[in-house]
């Protein structure tokens, strides 16, 4: 008899070869569902759930959970406590789902749900509490955030009118408004598969797949964000609800489907839909068996050809009957009883045959499920680039739970199809509702953390108004610095440089240039050839040890002369008396081009007996002390001026030099008539603004944060260079470090652990900001950079660190842009122009290396000075080449003056 059945149902037996083929088809369908262009036509919808994190054990609090969509509707109160032990207590209540409710009017359905919730809160004495709620909703929804979801289609037995294409959370919220006495916050809409995965993940962190085989069937898993086209961002992972029940709705499984599947589909509530589900899930298995038995009886293969009216009635055989008939030992007796209840008179052989039909139908269900699950596991393994994957699958659903053979059949086939995955199957004890409460708990944790993080980041967001304010104040400070009466009080020093001409192309000769201004000191030989505007340079870099930076002035200048001697030896120039330009990137008051009195050290220099002294004299004396060579010191030059000169050599429109590097400063060509500190009204002179001191009088305190104040207090020059401390490379990493410490103290980062490294000043170099903010950098690499800094970060931590870096560097670029806008507007007005075309020569590591700084700076200038067309030109070695050019121009002008 069984062979008869086998022949009759030959098409339902699936070989491993066929299953591997189905597995490959499902993999292709998943890929289609994830792609932006292919998703609209994909049958497997691959819906993003906006669940990004699995529980980390720090969740706690009281939550409500509703579970709608399975065979029963229930309401739960879930109490999650952290205290190191993962402890969850639940109280729940089941409510019936009558057909007239689930197939009636949508408004009434949600009012019924709200009534049940109110009843539950009443009996549990929860009316006065404001509780977060998670809604488990076992139907396909398109979500754009965690707390909303638009119903795509009803499945299984549900068919309430007017709900499709609307947001189910607002339907529920509206229905709850009728109950004035209940106060809940719906924080999460969760598919039941996601709930299952979360429930199991709470107990087993390896769990990253959820599968339900119950009334319906579906699966979800954690996908890499970089593969999800439908959601912005590439950081981290997100749970994808596959909605695999619809696999085959586009005809992909027609060769697998049998006449019985087609007949069942035609009689269902949703013909042509959920075709994969209709071969698998509990709502349909019994009906498939009924249709097969009816056909076999008609063909005279069963019950002696007799059929009863019950056998003709849809829904008379249910999945619980199929499970009972397949039970070990008792199965045959159960079969006889069930068939007799259907008004049939089965023989022994009939009972064996019917039992065999049940086995074939339910085994096919397990096989199909296994093939799709194997595809998901393979995808996970490939995403992680592993040879072997170890993972856990959270399982739930009535069919999986009540059918005596189903689980072991499924497990066996999965392991056969993916031998390179070690899979643990974990039964979700408390169903998906605990998971929904977990998602809600995670959401409320993340939401609270997000609020605190946003509060900190908001301090760094500058409004248009604030930027205009900075521009206006900078403009006022520039004017103070130029006027004789207010100059001594001005924070922006506006120092005349005595550089009055730009290169005209006739410069020629050999020049030495020195460059002091950072941790390195350079000596250069610059050969300028006239006419062809060609410059050749030879240089050598020497380190300046900390003990010399912070020792005495004599030691510093002796070290400099020692370096020059080494260089001249190296170049074989010992006896030549060359003109020299000295790039000295610290604020100097100049009385002529070759005199510069140091106003004050910046950027970590602290050598004694220098402030108030002429640096050119100090250099001449050190050369005398050594008594080996003589040099003609023609010009002392600020590095911004060198930058402007280098670019001016290429582009005569260049009248501004900007440095955005370790420090921050700007110079520009000013009309002589505006410079009250220098005699004469003809022509122009370059002004070194020394704008780093902007704000030292408190005029920008309204935008300084507590973090800026901490960085300032910990610096070598507290209270000085406040603008520079908000805009330059030397300090941005420190600001970031202060913010990270604060967020960690609030328990929002690094699990609240402040590492020894994080307490160390200066570890967060600005180059790390540039690396972390690079768009090409995946989160993994951000984590690696943080690990080098001794910070063990999770995915979430890395995202926050990246945001912090972005907020700090964005503000720096905007502040810099506002300052520059003040200068170009001043130049436009001074020249009485409707529109100004001007070039800015720029140098500095921050501008050159940071992935976004230059763009944001340029955008800010455009917004704040719309009538100026500003071109930005990168300076190639302003402090070397520029110093030589200034020396050459000065020599040329000296010559002309003599003549």
């Amino acid at each position: 008899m069984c062979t008869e059945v086998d022949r009759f149902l030959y098409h339902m037996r699936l070989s491993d070869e066929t299953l591997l083929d189905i597995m490959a088809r499902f993999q292709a369908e998943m890929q289609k569902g994830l792609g932006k262009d292919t998703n609209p036509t994909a049958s497997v919808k691959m819906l993003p759930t906006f669940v990004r994190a699995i529980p980390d054990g720090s969740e706690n609090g009281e939550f409500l959970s509703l579970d709608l969509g399975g065979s029963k509707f229930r309401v739960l109160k879930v109490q999650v406590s952290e205290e190191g032990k993962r402890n969850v207590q639940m109280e729940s209540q089941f409510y019936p789902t009558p057909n007239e409710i689930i197939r009636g009017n949508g408004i009434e359905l949600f009012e019924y749900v709200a009534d049940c919730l109110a009843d539950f809160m009443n009996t549990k004495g929860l009316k006065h509490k404001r509780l977060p709620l998670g809604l488990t909703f076992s139907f396909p929804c398109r979500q754009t955030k965690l707390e909303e979801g638009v119903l795509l289609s009803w499945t299984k037995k549900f068919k309430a009118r007017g709900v499709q294409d609307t947001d189910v959370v607002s339907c529920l919220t509206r229905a709850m408004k009728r109950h004035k006495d209940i106060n809940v916050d719906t924080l999460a809409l969760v598919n039941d598969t996601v709930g299952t995965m979360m429930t199991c993940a709470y107990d087993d962190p390896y769990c990253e797949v959820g599968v339900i085989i119950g009334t319906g069937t579906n699966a979800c898993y954690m996908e890499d964000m970089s593969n999800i086209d439908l959601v912005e961002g590439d950081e981290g992972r997100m749970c994808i609800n596959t909605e695999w029940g619809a696999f085959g709705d586009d005809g992909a499984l027609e060769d697998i489907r049998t006449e019985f599947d087609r007949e069942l589909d035609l009689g269902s509530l949703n013909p042509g839909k959920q075709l994969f589900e209709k071969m698998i899930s509990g709502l349909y298995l019994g009906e498939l068996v009924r249709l097969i038995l009816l056909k076999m009886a008609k063909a005279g293969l069963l019950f002696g050809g007799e059929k009863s009216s019950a056998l003709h009635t849809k829904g008379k055989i249910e999945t619980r009957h199929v499970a009972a008939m397949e039970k070990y030992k008792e199965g045959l007796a159960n079969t006889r009883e069930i068939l007799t209840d259907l008004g049939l008179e089965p023989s022994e052989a009939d009972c064996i045959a019917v039992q065999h039909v049940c086995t074939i139908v339910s085994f096919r269900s397990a096989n199909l499920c296994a093939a799709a699950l194997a595809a998901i596991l393979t995808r996970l393994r490939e995403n992680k680039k592993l040879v072997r994957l170890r993972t856990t699958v959270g399982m739930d659903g009535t069919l999986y739970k009540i059918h005596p053979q189903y689980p072991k059949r499924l497990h066996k086939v999965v392991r056969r199809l993916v031998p390179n995955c070690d899979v643990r199957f974990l039964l979700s004890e408390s169903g998906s509702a605990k998971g929904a409460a977990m998602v809600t708990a995670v959401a409320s944790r993340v939401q609270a953390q997000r609020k605190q993080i946003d509060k900190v980041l908001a301090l760094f967001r500058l409004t248009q108004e604030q930027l205009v304010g900075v521009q206006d104040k900078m403009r006022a400070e520039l004017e103070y610095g130029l006027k004789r009466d207010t100059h001594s009080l001005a924070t922006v020093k506006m120092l005349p440089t005595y550089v009055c001409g730009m290169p005209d192309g006739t410069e020629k000769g050999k020049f030495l240039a020195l460059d002091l201004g950072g941790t390195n000191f350079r000596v250069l030989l610059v050969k300028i050839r006239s006419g062809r505007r060609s410059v050749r340079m030879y240089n050598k870099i020497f380190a300046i040890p900390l003990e010399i930076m912070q020792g005495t002035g004599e030691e510093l200048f002796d070290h400099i002369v020692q370096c020059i001697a080494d260089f001249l030896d190296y170049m074989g120039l010992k006896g030549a008396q060359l003109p020299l330009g000295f790039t000295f990137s610290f604020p100097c008051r100049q009385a002529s081009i070759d005199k510069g009195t140091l106003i004050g050290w910046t950027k970590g220099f602290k050598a004694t007996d220098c402030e108030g002294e002429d640096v050119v004299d100090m250099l001449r004396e050190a050369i005398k002390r050594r008594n080996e060579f003589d040099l003609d010191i023609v010009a002392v030059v600020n590095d911004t001026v060198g930058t402007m000169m280098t670019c001016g050599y290429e582009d005569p429109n260049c009248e501004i030099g900007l440095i955005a590097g370790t420090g921050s400063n700007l110079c520009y060509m000013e009309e002589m008539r505006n410079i009250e500190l220098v005699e004469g009204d003809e022509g122009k002179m370059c002004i070194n603004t020394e704008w780093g001191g902007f704000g030292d009088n408190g005029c920008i305190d309204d935008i300084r944060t507590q973090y800026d104040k901490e960085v300032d207090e910990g610096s070598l020059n507290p209270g000085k260079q406040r603008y520079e401390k908000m805009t330059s490379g030397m300090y941005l990493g420190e600001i970031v470090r202060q913010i990270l410490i604060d967020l960690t103290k609030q328990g929002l980062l690094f699990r609240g652990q402040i590492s020894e490294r994080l307490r160390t000043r200066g570890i967060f170099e600005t180059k790390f900001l540039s690396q972390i903010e690079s768009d090409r950098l995946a989160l993994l690499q951000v984590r690696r950079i943080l690990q080098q800094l001794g910070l063990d970060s999770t995915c979430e931590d890395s995202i926050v660190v990246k945001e912090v870096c972005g907020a700090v560097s964005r503000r720096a670029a905007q502040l810099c842009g506002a300052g520059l806008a003040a200068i170009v507007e001043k130049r436009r007005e001074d020249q009485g122009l409707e529109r100004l075309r001007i070039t800015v020569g720029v140098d500095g590591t921050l501008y050159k290396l940071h992935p976004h700084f230059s763009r944001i700076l340029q955008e800010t200038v455009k917004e704040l000075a719309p009538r100026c067309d500003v071109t930005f030109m990168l300076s190639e070695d302003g402090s070397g080449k520029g110093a030589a050019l200034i020396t050459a121009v000065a020599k040329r002008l000296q010559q002309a003056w003599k003549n």
Side-chain angles (χ1 to χ4, degrees):
M1 187 69 211
C2 281
T3 49
E4 297 255 359
V5 174
D6 283 342
R7 262 206 305 281
F8 197 75
L9 295 181
Y10 163 77
H11 208 54
M12 283 193 162
R13 318 280 313 237
L14 304 172
S15 66
D16 275 7
E17 195 182 350
T18 307
L19 293 177
L20 286 166
D21 180 33
I22 293 171
M23 177 175 152
R25 289 185 217 179
F26 187 68
Q27 271 176 297
E29 287 296 322
M30 288 166 78
Q31 195 53 48
K32 240 176 153 167
L34 287 170
K36 206 185 211 116
D37 306 332
T38 44
N39 174 280
T41 57
S43 56
V44 178
K45 280 294 173 218
M46 302 296 281
L47 303 166
T49 63
F50 294 82
V51 170
R52 298 168 191 265
I54 58 175
D56 67 358
S58 71
E59 293 72 23
N60 64 341
E62 270 188 301
F63 304 94
L64 288 169
S65 189
L66 299 178
D67 187 354
L68 179 67
S71 31
K72 301 179 179 131
F73 165 54
R74 67 172 175 157
V75 184
L76 301 92
K77 183 192 103 170
V78 184
Q79 174 83 42
V80 186
S81 62
E82 43 177 346
E83 290 123 43
K85 55 184 189 305
R86 302 192 155 206
N87 186 358
V88 179
Q89 280 151 356
M90 302 200 295
E91 301 173 46
S92 71
Q93 170 77 49
F94 284 99
Y95 294 91
T97 46
N99 275 346
E100 62 274 15
I101 292 278
I102 64 174
R103 294 189 199 161
N105 172 329
I107 294 173
E108 285 165 19
L109 169 64
F110 284 101
E111 286 181 348
Y112 175 74
V113 170
D115 292 345
C116 295
L117 177 63
D119 171 75
F120 178 82
M121 289 179 81
N122 223 351
T123 46
K124 300 284 180 212
L126 297 171
K127 287 228 154 155
H128 55 285
K129 287 192 174 174
R130 184 181 178 91
L131 292 176
L133 170 95
L135 167 61
T136 306
F137 189 71
S138 326
F139 303 96
C141 285
R142 177 154 329 274
Q143 291 185 259
T144 47
K145 38 182 187 279
L146 187 58
E147 67 280 14
E148 68 169 43
V150 172
L151 176 67
L152 294 176
S153 59
W154 287 114
T155 56
K156 298 166 291 202
K157 287 183 176 167
F158 279 67
K159 202 136 195 185
R161 293 185 301 282
V163 185
Q164 203 169 324
D165 298 325
T166 60
D167 171 25
V168 291
V169 177
S170 16
C171 293
L172 179 62
T173 311
R174 270 199 299 277
M176 289 194 299
K177 288 230 167 76
R178 287 169 51 247
H179 296 273
K180 295 285 177 275
D181 48 351
I182 61 174
N183 192 356
V184 296
D185 244 349
T186 309
L187 286 188
L189 173 72
V190 183
N191 181 276
D192 53 343
T193 49
V194 183
T196 299
M197 181 187 81
M198 289 300 258
T199 301
C200 295
Y202 193 66
D203 300 319
D204 177 349
Y206 276 100
C207 180
E208 45 191 353
V209 183
V211 175
I212 289 194
I213 312 167
T215 314
T217 182
N218 191 10
C220 70
Y221 71 102
M222 294 303 286
E223 177 59 88
D224 294 356
M225 278 290 288
S226 52
N227 295 330
I228 307 174
D229 283 357
L230 300 166
V231 182
E232 280 301 301
D234 285 343
E235 316 298 9
R237 305 205 300 167
M238 183 182 283
C239 181
I240 289 286
N241 164 18
T242 63
E243 286 298 336
W244 77 12
F247 178 32
D249 287 7
D250 56 358
L253 296 174
E254 283 315 299
D255 55 330
I256 307 292
R257 292 176 71 228
T258 64
E259 55 180 300
F260 307 109
D261 296 308
R262 294 192 171 86
E263 197 177 335
L264 174 134
D265 177 47
L266 290 173
S268 68
L269 277 175
N270 52 351
K273 300 270 185 285
Q274 300 293 102
L275 299 182
F276 189 59
E277 177 168 83
K278 285 172 183 165
M279 297 193 270
I280 291 174
S281 78
L283 189 57
Y284 307 104
L285 288 193
E287 185 60 9
L288 274 175
V289 169
R290 183 186 72 81
L291 292 171
I292 293 166
L293 299 187
L294 182 60
K295 179 146 192 203
M296 286 181 75
K298 280 183 179 164
L301 295 171
L302 280 179
F303 320 125
E306 290 297 320
K307 311 174 282 296
S308 65
S309 66
L311 193 58
H312 273 288
T313 310
K314 186 176 152 193
K316 275 294 185 190
I317 298 181
E318 293 172 29
T319 299
R320 60 191 173 92
H321 298 131
V322 177
M325 293 194 267
E326 285 192 71
K327 216 166 178 182
Y328 184 63
K329 287 192 177 147
E330 302 147 53
L332 269 181
N334 291 345
T335 305
R336 178 175 299 279
E337 191 182 327
I338 288 162
L339 293 173
T340 308
D341 286 350
L342 290 171
L344 296 161
E345 294 171 10
S347 65
E348 186 73 13
D350 286 341
C351 290
I352 291 171
V354 169
Q355 205 179 15
H356 195 54
V357 169
C358 290
T359 302
I360 289 175
V361 170
S362 62
F363 214 124
R364 180 184 71 154
S365 162
N367 274 333
L368 288 169
C369 243
L373 177 54
I376 290 178
L377 295 171
T378 303
R379 187 168 175 93
L380 276 176
R381 186 178 62 75
E382 287 170 356
N383 279 351
K384 296 183 185 204
K385 303 184 171 50
L386 295 173
V387 182
R388 280 199 86 73
L389 171 74
R390 171 189 168 184
T391 192
T392 299
V393 177
M395 299 293 305
D396 201 359
T398 39
L399 178 58
Y400 183 85
K401 283 181 173 166
I402 65 164
H403 191 292
Q405 329 285 340
Y406 201 99
K408 61 172 187 287
R409 286 174 188 166
L410 176 78
H411 303 172
K412 203 167 160 183
V413 181
V414 168
R415 290 183 176 124
R416 217 166 54 228
L417 294 176
V418 280
N420 47 5
C421 297
D422 302 317
V423 193
R424 175 184 181 212
F425 289 88
L426 187 58
L427 185 63
S428 153
E429 289 304 335
S430 42
S432 47
K434 168 175 159 187
M438 290 282 97
V439 175
T440 310
V442 171
S444 78
R445 178 192 92 211
V446 170
Q447 190 188 48
Q449 289 175 335
R450 194 63 256 182
K451 269 197 187 124
Q452 286 174 279
I453 291 166
D454 284 343
K455 213 161 97 190
V456 169
L457 294 180
L459 301 170
F460 289 85
R461 278 192 204 103
L462 299 176
T463 60
Q464 188 69 6
E465 252 168 299
Q466 286 173 312
L467 287 170
V468 171
V470 171
Q471 180 183 8
D472 294 346
K473 287 171 189 163
M474 177 68 84
R475 178 68 190 266
E477 290 292 323
L478 299 175
E479 304 293 354
Y480 285 149
L482 288 170
K483 300 256 183 299
R484 188 176 281 116
D485 305 340
T486 46
H487 174 82
S488 56
L489 301 170
T491 56
V492 178
K493 284 290 170 225
M494 304 298 280
L495 305 168
T497 63
Y498 294 87
V499 171
C500 301
M502 297 297 276
D504 63 2
T506 64
E507 296 75 20
K508 59 176 191 288
K510 282 184 188 172
F511 303 89
L512 269 184
L514 310 180
D515 174 15
L516 178 70
T519 40
N520 289 331
F521 169 62
R522 286 192 312 157
V523 186
L524 303 95
L525 174 70
V526 184
K527 294 181 179 171
I528 303 176
R529 295 170 34 205
S530 72
R532 296 223 314 279
R533 295 206 170 205
S534 93
V535 176
R536 292 176 68 187
M537 298 194 287
Y538 308 87
N539 73 10
K540 205 165 175 168
I541 294 181
F542 302 91
I544 297 196
L546 195 63
E547 62 272 16
I548 286 185
M549 278 167 73
Q550 301 183 7
T552 69
E554 275 198 7
E555 288 168 338
L556 175 63
F557 280 92
D558 285 344
H559 178 76
I560 288 172
V561 172
Q562 172 68 53
C563 297
I564 298 173
D566 287 356
F567 179 76
L568 292 174
D569 268 352
Y570 168 75
M571 295 297 295
L573 288 168
K574 223 21 190 292
Q577 207 204 9
L578 296 171
L580 177 141
F582 183 13
T583 300
F584 186 73
S585 317
F586 301 95
C588 276
R589 179 158 287 116
Q590 291 187 249
S592 66
I593 196 159
D594 63 346
K595 288 198 179 344
T597 305
L598 176 63
I599 295 174
W601 288 117
T602 55
K603 294 178 292 197
F605 274 74
K606 267 225 146 144
T608 55
D609 312 323
C610 294
E611 295 181 355
E613 299 294 324
D614 180 353
V615 293
V616 177
D617 286 345
M618 292 179 77
L619 180 60
R620 285 195 177 117
E621 278 159 27
I623 292 173
K624 270 205 197 93
R625 278 199 296 277
R626 189 167 179 104
N627 198 11
E628 266 181 39
F629 50 82
D630 200 18
L631 296 170
D632 170 19
I633 304 173
V634 175
V636 59
V637 182
N638 182 275
D639 54 346
T640 47
V641 186
T643 296
M644 179 183 80
M645 278 305 225
T646 310
C647 294
Y649 191 58
E650 314 281 334
D651 176 354
N653 251 345
C654 178
E655 293 204 334
I656 299 179
L658 168 67
I659 292 212
T662 314
S664 171
N665 193 13
L666 178 138
C667 72
Y668 70 103
M669 294 304 282
E670 176 60 275
E671 307 297 327
M672 279 291 284
R673 63 172 190 270
N674 293 336
I675 308 172
E676 294 187 0
L677 298 170
V678 181
E679 290 302 306
D681 284 348
E682 289 308 305
K684 301 180 200 172
M685 181 186 284
C686 178
I687 291 287
N688 164 19
T689 62
E690 286 298 336
W691 77 3
F694 174 50
D696 289 0
N697 57 2
C699 69
I700 51 172
D701 279 3
D702 56 322
I703 57 172
R704 286 176 78 226
T705 65
Q706 69 198 70
Y707 310 106
D708 294 304
K709 291 176 185 135
E710 279 160 8
V711 168
D712 180 39
E713 281 157 20
S715 69
L716 284 172
N717 51 353
K720 300 264 189 293
Q721 301 292 100
R722 291 184 185 180
Y723 181 64
E724 176 169 81
K725 283 172 187 163
M726 296 165 83
T727 54
S728 79
M730 178 146 179
Y731 303 101
L732 297 190
E734 266 307 283
I735 301 174
V736 168
R737 190 178 68 86
Q738 293 296 347
I739 299 172
L740 298 186
I741 288 177
D742 186 40
L743 292 177
T744 310
K745 276 184 187 155
Q746 294 181 46
L748 304 171
L749 270 183
F750 309 131
R751 302 179 191 76
Q753 304 295 311
I754 301 183
S755 67
E756 221 18 72
R757 292 280 292 158
L758 194 54
R759 291 179 205 279
T760 316
R761 280 199 34 218
I763 55 151
F764 222 95
E765 294 170 49
T766 300
K767 69 167 187 211
F768 290 134
L769 260 75
S770 297
Q771 289 171 356
I772 287 171
E773 285 186 69
S774 157
D775 294 328
R776 293 192 306 278
L777 211 58
L779 227 52
L780 222 61
Q781 289 155 293
V782 176
R783 284 172 77 173
R784 220 166 280 144
I785 293 170
L786 292 172
Q787 271 159 357
Q788 287 168 5
L789 297 175
L791 304 172
D792 183 26
S793 75
T794 63
C795 238
E796 278 73 38
D797 289 343
S798 310
I799 293 172
V800 174
V801 170
K802 197 166 177 170
E803 283 183 277
V804 169
C805 292
V808 171
S809 64
R810 180 180 187 82
R811 182 189 68 161
Q814 287 177 317
L815 285 174
C816 230
L820 181 52
I823 303 265
V824 293
E825 267 299 298
K826 173 173 167 38
R827 290 302 295 138
R828 187 183 66 77
E829 287 171 23
D830 283 350
Q831 295 171 57
L833 296 170
E834 193 46 47
R835 282 201 87 78
L836 169 75
R837 289 188 52 216
I838 194 166
T839 299
V840 179
V842 201
D843 202 351
T845 43
L846 190 58
Y847 187 90
K848 284 182 170 171
L849 302 180
H850 190 281
H852 309 300
F853 187 91
S854 55
R855 175 179 53 80
I856 296 166
L857 170 81
Q858 293 172 24
E859 284 167 5
T860 310
V861 175
K862 209 178 196 139
E863 270 169 35
L864 298 180
R867 292 196 286 176
C868 302
D869 300 323
V870 185
T871 307
F872 289 81
M873 180 173 178
L874 270 183
S875 145
E876 290 312 314
D877 191 46
S879 22
K881 184 170 161 182
L885 283 166
I886 290 168
T887 308
V889 172
K891 273 303 228 197
R892 189 188 81 215
L893 295 176
Q894 259 176 26
Q895 217 41 52
W897 194 68
K898 272 186 193 156
N899 295 344

